[in-house]
Amino acid sequence: GVLKVGDEIELRPGIVTKADDGTVQCTPIYSRIISLYAEKNDLQYAVPGGLIGVGTKIDPTLTRADRLVGQVLGLKGKLPSCFAEVEISYYLLRRLLGVKTSDGSKQAKVQKLSKTEILMVNIGSTATGGKVLAVKGDLAKILLTQPVCTEEGEKIALSRRVDKHWRLIGWGEIRKGVKIEIAEAE
């Protein structure tokens, strides 16, 4: 879509809280666009593509230390759902990239996904942990450590911990997911 100065916007998932019973709740952050910048140019409106600085009235304590990296910004009420669990169709690489085996001959083979394994899942600009709940053929169900604002059909990257480094092991596509209730801000 198009963003204009003065538009009401929302950030999802926003502030994530966990209730006593363990359910996760997302409270979006609402604000208004005060300014738009690209390079050193002041903009009146912004279209997708390139890097755009969006000036808002969001409290700087929420934005410090890159806390909002991976959040999705859009017009109020127009953003996709937030997911806590995703079902993906995936494809694994045959060999690990940049990792030699102990005998030094060729790259190590990528092992199949195993249940309860922890992976790093990249969805858009969000990198989050994920626990594999179930695997069947080329489908897997992954419980995400943090909720992610995304939609079905989105491409993802899967990484596994190999010798203290995260290594790309494959990619996939979100088929469906368990949506999180979005709390309305007071």
Side-chain angles (χ1 to χ4, degrees), residues 45-67:
Y45 63 92
V47 293
L51 295 175
I52 295 165
V54 180
T56 64
K57 286 189 167 180
I58 295 173
D59 186 351
T61 56
L62 293 173
T63 64
R64 74 171 199 265
D66 289 341
R67 285 187 186 166

Side-chain angles (χ1 to χ4, degrees), residues 37 63 67 71 81 95 112 114 129 154-155 173 180 186:
Y37 281 98
T63 64
R67 285 187 186 166
Q71 302 260 349
S81 303
R95 299 186 181 283
K112 286 190 165 71
S114 56
E154 185 80 45
K155 297 271 190 271
E173 191 175 314
I180 297 176
E186 292 81 46

